[in-house]
Amino acid sequence: MEASDSEDLFPSSVNQQPLLMQLHGKTDKQEFMDPYDHITVERKLPQLKGKLCLGCFEDWLLLADESTKVTFFLHRTLDPKLNIYLPPLRGESFERLGSCVISSSPTSQKCVVILVGRGRNVILYCRPKTNVSWTKVQVPIDPRGNHSFTGQVVKFKGKIYVPHGATVAHRVLVINEESLLKGNYSWTIIKLPHRMLGWWHLVVSGDHDLFLVFFATSALRLGTPTTCTVHRLKTSDQTWKRAESIGGCVFFLGGIQNAALPAVQAGTQRDCIYVLHQNYGLRHGEGVYKICMQDQTVSLSLLLKKPRGWFCKLCWLMPTRVNQSIKSKCETLSFSHSIGIDKSEVCHVQKGKKEEEKCKIDISRPWADLPIELVQLLLPRLNLIDCLRLPSICKAWNSVSNYIQDAKVYPWLLYSANDSCLLRLVDPIYGKAYSIDMKWFGPVNNLMFHYSKDGWVLASKENKYLFLINPLTRESIGLPDMDHAIFTVMSFSSSPTNLDCVVFIVQFDDFDGMEISTWSPGADEWSIMSFNNEFGLFVPCNPVFTREEFYCYKLNGEILVYNPKKKTMQTLAIKAPIEITEPIEMEEGFVSRIIQCHLMETRGDLLTVFRKSSKDPLRIFKLDRLNMVWSEVDDVGNLTVFLNHKTSFAKSCLEKRCHNLIYLSGFADEHCKSITSYSLETNKYYPVDCYHHKQPMNCIWIELSLTA
């Protein structure tokens, strides 16, 4: 869609809701994108051709001319008489210019523009209409040059905050604005709450709070966000405190600036975060994701249609006034069942009044009259939860034998919402949702899932404490402490109630070295093998245990095999059927993106699944061990595949409608009950529209089990 209204720089809709502006500085055509309705409007604005955008401040854009190096504020009316000029940025590389803040309105005599260099420890500042040149300050915080400013600068209560680190930030540098302008500046350092591989964003909410938002992804910072934590700055001692909500606000992160608005002014659901994020699983590598803090889900809100270079900048435009007709669109999640299961307990189901009325049936004969033999025949058709309810129907049915062992077992989607004592469980085949009471374990809102098998989940708390937990049997096993590593893949061989169980973890230390750590029941510490990374980096999909060995994908497509009994490691003389990495053009040039790939085993066979982008077809390959080649499979028979980058399964299914079906770990509806899927018969996704795909950030497939 193209618009030619030249009376105003911004579309009129920016008065009612936020928009994402994409400035193609090399051309006169600019794009304005609606993150709510997924609409892009293209406008012809010759005034912006050849200009680099450095910031947006209400009705003003801060621009720099590529040819003359002149910087100036452009008013939204596009009236050149209102331009406010700053000194030229002579001698500065536009590619190294980062984000900026201003102390007050550009029309104020007290306005100071502060610009932070990207990838270096440089700060530039000047006063419009007053200074004839920029003052350049080199912050000597890291003489070796290994660390630099890495994120958007934020001004809060007279201080300047900017993330600082190497390839990822691990601290925040704080500089007093007044002392900076006087030339006798000093700085302090605030450590981040934890050091994980991911992205940090600073954002100010109103006049009272400074927030730090962290995102981790499924693929070395390049995939869909799978973790989002928010921390509020405690100004009394300059420490970060975990925040479960953002106070009814909405955050807009990424691009050259971050912003926050009350939900009523933003015109959307409260406690949501819209973040511009590089995801190399998308066709052009970038998209805007909506993260809902209430149910801890993520969905694609905008898909950037074109790759962009360093000169093309993205900036959030915020409404300058409140539209009273806009009301917050609050979505409420409705889980119709609630369960808390113990080995000796039968789940208790609570239903709403309306559902109870629908379920009322005029029964002329009691359930006890149904022959036990017929009830026994029904067991293989019931899922585990329904089997647990069976004895509560009537006393006669208590005599049913093996009602748990005969239950139909298949993977369910387990995920954590923003609740301190509940986990969510979704049946992908019948579309039922449950809540699992986790009070016995303690708070679970900061629990991170890593791998699952035989009803057990390998999880961590606060990025350091590792556990094996069974949510249904209410059992947990604490693992020995482990030193933190930047990137980790992990798995385990069988239920930890078996003495021969092996927990297998691969760790990297800043990508320079590699460690393999193993643990078995009864051990007090990890058994560790160290390597100088001669085996290369691993793909961010967890290892698979089959035929007494662990199998892991490497970035070069090879498969590494580790034998825990012999403590030996070897590389199979076979490469992945599809290149795992491929070049893609991004802001920083061409980079390698990682293709989504998954490993799983079924009946002793090794399967792998590939997907190049969110709209490309899924392709399945099976390892031919005799000829050591991957063979593509178009039909998996009566198997149903459950796909997730943490744990994937391929299981036989009695339901014919589920044969040749691949369930993805996302929701196709707002009520979080219907799972997104892909049919191998039709080669189509459901739903077709990727904007309706809502995925829990911290989720995993789990085979329910009440037995050891």
Side-chain angles (χ1 to χ4, degrees), residues 17 28 266 546:
Q17 69 169 71
D28 58 2
T546 181

mmCIF file with all atom_site columns, all heavy atoms in Angstrom, residues 17 28 266 546:
data_model
loop_
_atom_site.group_PDB
_atom_site.id
_atom_site.type_symbol
_atom_site.label_atom_id
_atom_site.label_alt_id
_atom_site.label_comp_id
_atom_site.label_asym_id
_atom_site.label_entity_id
_atom_site.label_seq_id
_atom_site.pdbx_PDB_ins_code
_atom_site.Cartn_x
_atom_site.Cartn_y
_atom_site.Cartn_z
_atom_site.occupancy
_atom_site.B_iso_or_equiv
_atom_site.pdbx_formal_charge
_atom_site.auth_seq_id
_atom_site.auth_comp_id
_atom_site.auth_asym_id
_atom_site.auth_atom_id
_atom_site.pdbx_PDB_model_num
ATOM 1  N N   . GLN A 1 17  ? -1.938 5.239   17.736 1.00 0.00 ? 17  GLN A N   1
ATOM 2  C CA  . GLN A 1 17  ? -1.229 4.027   18.135 1.00 0.00 ? 17  GLN A CA  1
ATOM 3  C C   . GLN A 1 17  ? 0.220  4.091   17.660 1.00 0.00 ? 17  GLN A C   1
ATOM 4  O O   . GLN A 1 17  ? 0.546  4.869   16.761 1.00 0.00 ? 17  GLN A O   1
ATOM 5  C CB  . GLN A 1 17  ? -1.902 2.792   17.538 1.00 0.00 ? 17  GLN A CB  1
ATOM 6  C CG  . GLN A 1 17  ? -1.746 2.709   16.013 1.00 0.00 ? 17  GLN A CG  1
ATOM 7  C CD  . GLN A 1 17  ? -2.166 1.365   15.466 1.00 0.00 ? 17  GLN A CD  1
ATOM 8  O OE1 . GLN A 1 17  ? -3.335 1.043   15.446 1.00 0.00 ? 17  GLN A OE1 1
ATOM 9  N NE2 . GLN A 1 17  ? -1.179 0.583   15.045 1.00 0.00 ? 17  GLN A NE2 1
ATOM 10 N N   . ASP A 1 28  ? 13.833 7.650   -1.680 1.00 0.00 ? 28  ASP A N   1
ATOM 11 C CA  . ASP A 1 28  ? 12.845 8.582   -1.138 1.00 0.00 ? 28  ASP A CA  1
ATOM 12 C C   . ASP A 1 28  ? 11.579 7.870   -0.684 1.00 0.00 ? 28  ASP A C   1
ATOM 13 O O   . ASP A 1 28  ? 10.620 8.511   -0.255 1.00 0.00 ? 28  ASP A O   1
ATOM 14 C CB  . ASP A 1 28  ? 12.489 9.656   -2.173 1.00 0.00 ? 28  ASP A CB  1
ATOM 15 C CG  . ASP A 1 28  ? 11.956 9.069   -3.476 1.00 0.00 ? 28  ASP A CG  1
ATOM 16 O OD1 . ASP A 1 28  ? 11.839 7.829   -3.555 1.00 0.00 ? 28  ASP A OD1 1
ATOM 17 O OD2 . ASP A 1 28  ? 11.675 9.845   -4.398 1.00 0.00 ? 28  ASP A OD2 1
ATOM 18 N N   . ALA A 1 266 ? -1.339 3.116   24.289 1.00 0.00 ? 266 ALA A N   1
ATOM 19 C CA  . ALA A 1 266 ? -0.821 2.290   23.196 1.00 0.00 ? 266 ALA A CA  1
ATOM 20 C C   . ALA A 1 266 ? -1.944 1.614   22.422 1.00 0.00 ? 266 ALA A C   1
ATOM 21 O O   . ALA A 1 266 ? -1.753 1.183   21.286 1.00 0.00 ? 266 ALA A O   1
ATOM 22 C CB  . ALA A 1 266 ? 0.139  1.237   23.740 1.00 0.00 ? 266 ALA A CB  1
ATOM 23 N N   . THR A 1 546 ? 20.194 -42.974 21.614 1.00 0.00 ? 546 THR A N   1
ATOM 24 C CA  . THR A 1 546 ? 19.688 -44.190 20.993 1.00 0.00 ? 546 THR A CA  1
ATOM 25 C C   . THR A 1 546 ? 20.839 -45.164 20.807 1.00 0.00 ? 546 THR A C   1
ATOM 26 O O   . THR A 1 546 ? 21.983 -44.756 20.577 1.00 0.00 ? 546 THR A O   1
ATOM 27 C CB  . THR A 1 546 ? 19.014 -43.892 19.634 1.00 0.00 ? 546 THR A CB  1
ATOM 28 O OG1 . THR A 1 546 ? 18.504 -45.099 19.078 1.00 0.00 ? 546 THR A OG1 1
ATOM 29 C CG2 . THR A 1 546 ? 19.977 -43.248 18.664 1.00 0.00 ? 546 THR A CG2 1
#
